[in-house]
Amino acid sequence: MPLYARTVSVKRLVSPVTVVSLVAAAALIGLLIYGVVSKEPDQGLDRAVLRGERPPAPALTLPGLGGGESQTLAAYRGQVVLVNYWASWCPPCREESPLLERMHQRMKRQGGTVLGVDVLDATSDAQAFIREKGLTYPMLKDAEGVTPASFGIVGYPESFLIDRQGRIAAIERGPIDETYFDRAVKPLLEEPA
């Protein structure tokens, strides 16, 4: 290929239209990356727990699922509490609920409880789910989905193990399994009050 032909090809590659297109594509990619990063939840609680710290649990005040007066997480101070965020439309929530009920039965004998928080769900659907699964642990209702942000929740189910002093001792992003009780809950129940 003659030198002149190569020069023309290179000039076409670096034409103003090509440069503008590359800059626009880079800007678009930059905006997409910024959007993903800025939407990521605050992972401060997760980092603190991974370092072995126990940060204070965020304040939580919600009505009971069946209505009535609001309840607070602070009212459970002195107990080990497994706060579980769930919804009846969530398949993994449906799968883990029998395990949560078994954990609740074991925990209540040792000064603990599971505390369910139903989020962005129709109350009638949530109540039908509770009846179907035979759940007996206390349930709160967050109809508007206002409290998940304070816990950094990104999906459902998510669980937060709270010690007797009201601090987060463990976080499970996703469904819990059979080993969770022995690994996380049991040691906390055995700690002095």
Side-chain angles (χ1 to χ4, degrees):
M1 179 183 271
L3 181 60
Y4 173 76
R6 278 192 225 144
T7 305
V8 171
S9 295
V10 171
K11 283 183 181 179
R12 262 190 244 149
L13 287 176
V14 292
S15 73
V17 173
T18 303
V19 171
V20 169
S21 298
L22 289 173
V23 168
L28 180 60
I29 290 169
L31 282 172
L32 288 171
I33 291 170
Y34 171 78
V36 168
V37 170
S38 68
K39 296 287 187 216
E40 186 174 306
D42 177 12
Q43 296 295 311
L45 292 175
D46 297 78
R47 283 192 290 273
V49 170
L50 284 174
R51 287 191 303 264
E53 299 171 13
R54 290 189 182 175
L60 181 63
T61 302
L62 291 168
L65 180 61
E69 292 187 29
S70 290
Q71 300 175 34
T72 67
L73 180 56
Y76 291 91
R77 184 75 47 98
Q79 294 184 54
V80 172
V81 182
L82 181 60
V83 178
N84 176 259
Y85 275 83
W86 66 279
S88 66
W89 43 261
C90 160
C93 300
R94 290 183 153 289
E95 291 171 19
E96 83 170 347
S97 63
L99 176 59
L100 289 169
E101 179 61 29
R102 288 192 303 276
M103 283 187 183
H104 172 65
Q105 295 305 320
R106 291 175 70 183
M107 291 175 73
K108 74 180 183 178
R109 292 190 295 262
Q110 295 180 277
T113 189
V114 172
L115 178 63
V117 181
D118 179 46
V119 183
L120 300 171
D121 203 357
T123 300
S124 59
D125 292 346
Q127 289 172 328
F129 172 84
I130 290 166
R131 280 190 306 276
E132 172 192 333
K133 298 294 184 180
L135 306 179
T136 63
Y137 50 89
M139 296 286 184
L140 303 179
K141 177 74 176 172
D142 187 349
E144 304 299 319
V146 296
T147 64
S150 60
F151 285 89
I153 292 175
V154 295
Y156 303 103
E158 291 193 13
S159 297
F160 302 84
L161 187 58
I162 313 298
D163 69 13
R164 296 180 195 280
Q165 290 75 41
R167 303 170 303 181
I168 298 175
I171 299 172
E172 192 67 30
R173 305 274 184 200
I176 58 175
D177 59 23
E178 290 286 345
T179 64
Y180 188 78
F181 186 86
D182 291 329
R183 179 174 42 86
V185 179
K186 187 176 178 183
L188 208 57
L189 287 167
E190 293 170 354
E191 286 183 3

